[in-house]
Structures are given as structure tokens and as C-alpha cells.
Amino acid sequence: IEQVRVGIGSDPRIGYSFIYPGCGYGGSCFPKDVHALIRSAEEIGYDAELVRAVDNVNNRQKHSLFHKISSHFDGKLKGRTLALWGLAFKPNTDDMREAPSRVLMEALWEAGAKVRAYDPQSMAETARVYGTRPDLTLCASAEEALAGADALVIVTEWQEFRSPDFDDIRDRLRHPVIFDGRNIYDPALVRSFGLKYHGIGRGEPLVT
């Protein structure tokens, strides 16, 4: 996916700044504006196929992490615990409107899994949205979220998540695996610490 990004970003009309792959966009503005464009087109009898495709792809991306997690554990998620780092739809906000974390957590709960979550700013907002429930533990730190977890999932690319202690992560997790929903880690580096790695659009390493 990085090679695709370089190819597309080399066009100066596009650039590299906003074409990072990930587990979907959220917030109040972008989703609302895309939906408004679709409705406006429909009102004048025009089928805005490209804009609808953007919305459809984004909705699909929000389920990508759940599918990767489910596949890794052979669909057996009941009774498992996932550590989530990041709940806000983007860094430096507590906004969880249409956040990918909500889609992921709700899918995990539906599958019978539990969530231990941490976000630098969104803990109060998460508590407001979901209240108290037995399958959600809001943690005081990223490290605390790892306690008793089967795997780690990165959902929001906060700066404090970018240089973790991978040895500590491996030792704390029941299963040494990271699902990187924002591609913030180098796959080879993560694997060098004895952790399995799943990113977005990066495929799996070739076995020789």
C-alpha cells in the first residue's frame, strides 16, 4: 500500500498528506458532507457513483479490523479480550462521532468478546456513549489496557502510541499479535520482537 501511496502522491494535485490507508474515517464533518453530496445529487436526478463509492468503501473499512481479528482467531472470539488503543475518530480530540472504534467494539461485543480500551482524551466520552457494561473496561493507561488481553488493536494514531515498548507488549498479551489499524508501525520491526503483525493493505510476509 505504501507503493500505491507514493505513486498517487507523486501527482502534485494530490500530494501525500491525506492518503494514508487505515480503518476508516469518522467525525462530524467528512461523513456528513459526503452524505449531503449524495443527497444533493439525488435531488436533481444525478447518481453520484464516485461519492457513493467513497461512502461504501469507508463503511467497509470500518469493519476491516474486526474481520482481521476474527480470521486470526478462526472466528472464535467469545470469551476473548481485546486491548484497544485509541477511541476518538482522530488524534487530538475526544470526538467519537462515527468513529471506527465504535464499529469495532460493537462487533466484538456482538461476537462475545470483551474490550479493554484506552484513549488519551476520549475516556469520558466513551463512558457517556456506552455507560457501564461488563464487556467494556476503560483503562487509565495504554499499558493497563494490555493486562489480560489476547491481542492489541491500534484504532487511532495518537503520538504516544508510535514508539511503544514492544517487549512489554509481547510479554503482557496472551497472544503476541498486533492489529495496526493505522499502519503506524514497521511490520518487520514489530515481528523482530516476536509479535505477529496485521496492518491495512500490507499483506502478509512471504514464506520462503
Side-chain angles (χ1 to χ4, degrees):
I1 193 65
E2 283 81 7
Q3 294 175 356
V4 174
R5 178 174 174 268
V6 169
I8 295 175
S10 63
D11 186 329
R13 297 168 298 177
I14 301 173
Y16 302 101
S17 298
F18 300 103
I19 53 174
Y20 290 97
C23 55
Y25 62 76
S28 62
C29 298
F30 202 7
K32 177 186 67 179
D33 292 345
V34 170
H35 295 159
L37 283 171
I38 294 171
R39 286 194 300 271
S40 295
E42 290 172 346
E43 289 172 1
I44 61 172
Y46 179 72
D47 182 10
E49 295 179 73
L50 184 59
V51 184
R52 281 194 296 105
V54 169
D55 190 45
N56 290 337
V57 168
N58 187 58
N59 289 332
R60 186 173 70 236
Q61 282 302 104
K62 289 184 179 182
H63 292 273
S64 61
L65 283 174
F66 175 77
H67 292 314
K68 289 177 182 291
I69 295 166
S70 181
S71 177
H72 179 84
F73 289 108
D74 297 321
K76 300 173 183 176
L77 295 179
K78 187 174 182 180
R80 296 202 181 274
T81 299
L82 283 302
L84 265 62
W85 285 4
L87 295 165
F89 84 93
K90 68 175 184 178
N92 304 315
T93 181
D94 66 350
D95 196 340
M96 289 183 64
R97 285 174 288 185
E98 300 205 37
S101 64
R102 298 179 63 168
V103 175
L104 174 58
M105 287 194 293
E106 290 165 17
L108 289 171
W109 293 331
E110 181 69 22
K114 296 181 179 180
V115 171
R116 293 179 61 82
Y118 169 73
D119 186 282
Q121 292 187 21
S122 294
M123 307 308 285
E125 179 64 7
T126 305
R128 185 193 69 81
V129 171
Y130 291 111
T132 301
R133 49 185 301 156
D135 49 12
L136 172 63
T137 301
L138 299 179
C139 302
S141 68
E143 292 74 22
E144 183 183 325
L146 298 172
D150 289 283
L152 169 62
V153 189
I154 310 297
V155 189
T156 312
E157 63 275 33
W158 286 92
Q159 186 65 35
E160 71 175 78
F161 299 156
R162 291 184 176 273
S163 300
D165 183 337
F166 289 114
D167 283 322
D168 185 59
I169 292 174
R170 182 197 61 234
D171 294 343
R172 286 174 181 263
L173 294 176
R174 291 174 179 166
H175 298 266
V177 57
I178 294 177
F179 298 90
D180 185 358
R182 296 299 175 184
N183 286 2
I184 64 174
Y185 301 138
D186 181 311
L189 175 64
V190 174
R191 292 179 180 124
S192 73
F193 284 90
L195 287 150
K196 293 182 179 179
Y197 176 89
H198 299 277
I200 302 295
R202 285 174 155 177
E204 298 298 329
L206 295 175
V207 177
T208 58

